[in-house]
Amino acid sequence: MAKPFKIGNKFRVRTVVNGQRISEYHSTHDEAVIALKKYELENLQFKKGFKNFPTYNKLTFLDLVERWKKHHLPNKRRPKNDLSILNRYLLGFLRIFKLETSTY
């Protein structure tokens, strides 16, 4: 498994739990090892079936667009270009699709 490594005067732990990357900094090596063991145990519980993966609400593409507008659009340099493409081409066709059924 992964080991904590030193960056400056802190120790970094990088791992994947439930399909999401986790990166944390700890002040001592022992704290980093304990955190890493905690994540390894959680991964093992998922693999063995003792713990179930979290279920997410079934979102539509429109829900995704609303979230994108709220969190990512304000950081864009020219948001009107993205909005025009979204409104003109994507929303008319993808509005009703559930995200779990879409593939690429």
Side-chain angles (χ1 to χ4, degrees), residues 57-87:
N57 296 336
K58 294 180 174 38
L59 298 174
T60 62
F61 183 74
L62 191 58
D63 297 330
L64 177 67
V65 168
E66 292 303 319
R67 181 180 170 152
W68 180 80
K69 283 181 182 178
K70 180 180 177 186
H71 295 287
H72 297 284
L73 195 61
N75 299 329
K76 299 290 277 187
R77 188 171 183 182
R78 293 184 179 90
K80 69 177 187 172
N81 295 341
D82 291 348
L83 278 176
S84 66
I85 292 170
L86 190 66
N87 292 330

Side-chain angles (χ1 to χ4, degrees), residues 8-64:
N9 59 353
K10 299 208 181 251
F11 292 88
R12 184 175 183 180
V13 172
R14 295 179 78 186
T15 187
V16 176
V17 175
N18 191 19
Q20 294 184 346
R21 290 185 204 166
I22 296 175
S23 177
E24 294 180 346
Y25 291 93
H26 298 276
S27 57
T28 65
H29 186 267
D30 293 336
E31 288 177 6
V33 169
I34 290 170
L36 189 59
K37 294 292 182 186
K38 180 184 79 166
Y39 290 128
E40 289 174 3
L41 176 64
E42 192 172 348
N43 272 336
L44 187 62
Q45 288 173 342
F46 281 123
K47 287 180 184 176
K48 298 292 182 181
F50 296 119
K51 198 171 187 182
N52 295 328
F53 289 103
T55 56
Y56 300 102
N57 296 336
K58 294 180 174 38
L59 298 174
T60 62
F61 183 74
L62 191 58
D63 297 330
L64 177 67

